[in-house]
Amino acid sequence: MPSAEKLAKKQKYFDKLVDLCVNTPNALIICADFVASTQMQDIRMELRGKAQVLMGKNTMIRKGLDMGHLLHPDAGMDTLRANIRGNIGFIFATNCQLDDIREILGKHVRDSAAKSGQVAKANLSLPAGPTGMDPSQTAFFQALNIGTKIVKGQIELVSEFPILKQGERVSPSSAILLSKLGIRPFSYGMEVEQVFQDGSVFPAAVLDISDDVLIQKFMCGIANMAAFSRELGIPT
């Protein structure tokens, strides 16, 4: 059975989560996969006084939202709970705009080496030509069936070779070879997946819609309504 200290700590977390959802219902739901602890610390420091970062286990978050929904059924915590999946967290905008938070997150993105088993986020091809590696290391290329030749004491690729494909996992051989070549193909940071605002949850892409796009959509709607009215013979 959990100690009184642990129970008190959990309750403090639940209270904080519910308070933020009720009194500051303006937050980014972020994914923190592969984010280093130093990155997290830097982000927290830069957001200090502007926003509140809240991470936690999904089971804890769901339980806290369940408790909060019972106390505040109109706060949208049931909708938020339904979107708790993966390694996620929240950044509540307590004294800034959501775009300000996104700008700060964009500054804390770091390049990373490919690791075996990771899913490639983009395609990557090794260009034909010199690699800078000496002939004793041809085995790394042979393991991936990459055509090579020795020119002026170094390995050259005969033709371009696709080493990573988007959506596929990085093989151990590919990870080792990319490391040998000094290629860091991935970049990681906190990625904004969804937005929680006034009890609603919607995709982060909505934040990128500009005023010009909204005006264009509005004018298109007016044009459609005018055409419909003319067809009905009611122009006004």
Side-chain angles (χ1 to χ4, degrees):
M1 184 176 179
S3 65
E5 184 180 353
K6 285 186 176 181
L7 290 174
K9 189 175 180 180
K10 285 185 178 181
Q11 188 59 49
K12 184 178 179 181
Y13 178 88
F14 296 149
D15 293 342
K16 184 177 184 179
L17 174 59
V18 172
D19 177 67
L20 287 168
C21 288
V22 173
N23 298 315
T24 316
N26 196 30
L28 299 178
I29 304 174
I30 55 93
C31 176
D33 284 343
F34 306 112
V35 176
S37 58
T38 52
Q39 275 178 282
M40 182 74 74
Q41 184 179 4
D42 291 342
I43 290 170
R44 285 182 184 273
M45 289 178 64
E46 192 159 351
L47 288 174
R48 189 171 295 165
K50 302 176 183 177
Q52 178 73 54
V53 180
L54 188 65
M55 307 297 292
K57 293 182 179 179
N58 287 356
T59 51
M60 288 272 288
I61 295 172
R62 291 192 186 103
K63 185 174 181 180
L65 293 175
D66 280 337
M67 295 168 62
H69 178 61
L70 294 175
L71 297 172
H72 307 278
D74 298 326
M77 280 182 268
D78 55 335
T79 304
L80 183 57
R81 186 192 185 284
N83 289 274
I84 304 303
R85 293 182 295 272
N87 184 20
I88 63 100
F90 306 100
I91 303 180
F92 289 88
T94 55
N95 194 29
C96 67
Q97 300 298 316
L98 295 180
D99 284 338
D100 298 330
I101 299 174
R102 293 205 301 166
E103 184 179 347
I104 290 173
L105 295 182
K107 291 162 57 178
H108 294 278
V109 177
R110 296 184 181 178
D111 293 333
S112 174
K115 296 179 182 179
S116 177
Q118 286 181 336
V119 176
K121 295 186 176 182
N123 296 323
L124 177 68
S125 295
L126 299 178
T131 63
M133 296 174 65
D134 63 80
S136 65
Q137 302 185 76
T138 53
F140 295 109
F141 295 91
Q142 292 171 354
L144 294 168
N145 294 319
I146 301 176
T148 60
K149 60 182 179 181
I150 307 301
V151 178
K152 295 181 180 179
Q154 68 171 315
I155 301 172
E156 282 195 10
L157 266 63
V158 175
S159 60
E160 184 178 74
F161 181 81
I163 192 167
L164 296 180
K165 293 183 179 179
Q166 186 175 2
E168 295 185 3
R169 294 191 178 277
V170 179
S171 69
S173 298
S174 297
I176 294 172
L177 180 56
L178 289 170
S179 177
K180 289 283 184 181
L181 293 170
I183 298 174
R184 300 167 69 86
F186 299 148
S187 59
Y188 293 111
M190 283 190 178
E191 296 184 4
V192 181
E193 293 193 337
Q194 292 179 301
V195 179
F196 174 67
Q197 198 167 56
D198 297 326
S200 299
V201 177
F202 50 86
V206 174
L207 296 177
D208 295 321
I209 299 176
S210 64
D211 291 341
D212 292 338
V213 173
L214 290 175
I215 293 171
Q216 183 182 0
K217 295 290 185 183
F218 179 71
M219 296 305 295
C220 183
I222 291 177
N224 289 338
M225 183 61 70
F228 182 67
S229 298
R230 286 196 299 270
E231 287 295 322
L232 292 176
I234 309 175
T236 59

